[in-house]
Amino acid sequence: MKIKNSVTYFFYLISLFCLMSLQVPSKLQKKVRKEIKKTFETTDFVLKPFFISSQDKESLPIVFSEENFFCIQIAEQVVGYAFVEKAPSKTADFDFMVVLDENLIIKKTKVLIYREEYGGEIASKRWLKQFNGKTNADSFAYKKDISAISGATISVQSMTNAVNNFMKSIGILHKNNVL
């Protein structure tokens, strides 16, 4: 009997550890919450993981999970959505977020953590403002709709592709009445 309980307890601990490791890291979580506070000018909001069925996820060009896509609520009313993801730069990944309003319009993009020595200019508010106000009907083309940054070519293209794929996914989810 003790062995059975020990095995059960062991698997319980492993499962708990795995679930905890899937969540947004606390340092990143603090930055996400800070940006949402600034964007919606409130401290009184709730971030709820947004569930998307496996069937709906199949047709999307970007990976969604309950750990990277959230519904933002104030007084139980949906005011927007937040998406947190990694994108590749030259030798590392960078963490970014996209905040949408309740009408699925980009309210803000933010590079949360940039890990490269060069190319960090993509984190500038001025460059990121290019995405604000855009919808899933818009598409972004490097050097056409999105300004190039000398020394940050890979990061700019990566961020542009990531936001494009995210907004295409939002369009599909909206069309399928998921959002």
Side-chain angles (χ1 to χ4, degrees):
M1 187 73 164
K2 280 187 175 183
I3 293 174
K4 186 177 181 182
N5 286 342
S6 297
V7 171
T8 303
Y9 182 71
F10 175 74
F11 282 113
Y12 172 76
L13 285 176
I14 295 296
S15 299
L16 185 62
F17 177 75
C18 289
L19 285 173
M20 289 173 56
S21 67
L22 292 174
Q23 295 178 355
V24 175
S26 63
K27 183 178 180 182
L28 207 54
Q29 198 172 50
K30 286 178 186 177
K31 290 182 178 211
V32 168
R33 295 191 68 75
K34 179 182 173 186
E35 290 306 318
I36 292 171
K37 284 178 189 177
K38 283 197 284 187
T39 303
F40 290 97
E41 299 175 347
T42 184
T43 57
D44 192 28
F45 68 90
V46 177
L47 270 181
K48 291 193 173 186
F50 194 92
F51 177 77
I52 300 171
S53 73
S54 299
Q55 183 180 358
D56 287 322
K57 288 179 185 179
E58 288 176 7
S59 63
L60 303 178
I62 203 160
V63 177
F64 280 89
S65 71
E66 292 76 41
E67 290 85 29
N68 72 354
F69 190 52
F70 306 93
C71 180
I72 304 166
Q73 293 181 342
I74 298 174
E76 296 187 30
Q77 181 180 355
V78 175
V79 296
Y81 301 89
F83 178 71
V84 180
E85 189 58 281
K86 290 184 182 296
S89 54
K90 188 173 183 177
T91 61
D93 290 337
F94 61 91
D95 295 289
F96 72 94
M97 75 180 288
V98 179
V99 178
L100 304 174
D101 67 12
E102 71 277 5
N103 298 314
L104 307 177
I105 298 169
I106 296 176
K107 201 163 171 69
K108 182 177 205 169
T109 54
K110 175 79 174 175
V111 174
L112 300 167
I113 300 174
Y114 193 80
R115 296 174 181 87
E116 294 277 349
E117 195 171 318
Y118 299 103
E121 294 85 358
I122 69 161
S124 76
K125 290 178 186 177
R126 183 173 173 220
W127 186 81
L128 289 167
K129 280 184 181 181
Q130 299 175 92
F131 298 104
N132 295 356
K134 305 296 183 180
T135 69
N136 62 331
D138 297 306
S139 64
F140 311 104
Y142 172 65
K143 289 188 177 179
K144 183 179 176 193
D145 307 304
I146 301 299
S147 301
I149 299 175
S150 180
T153 304
I154 294 170
S155 298
V156 167
Q157 290 174 336
S158 183
M159 183 71 172
T160 302
N161 291 338
V163 175
N164 257 333
N165 288 334
F166 170 67
M167 291 309 287
K168 285 178 190 172
S169 297
I170 291 298
I172 293 167
L173 292 172
H174 184 66
K175 180 180 162 195
N176 294 342
N177 294 315
V178 176
L179 290 176

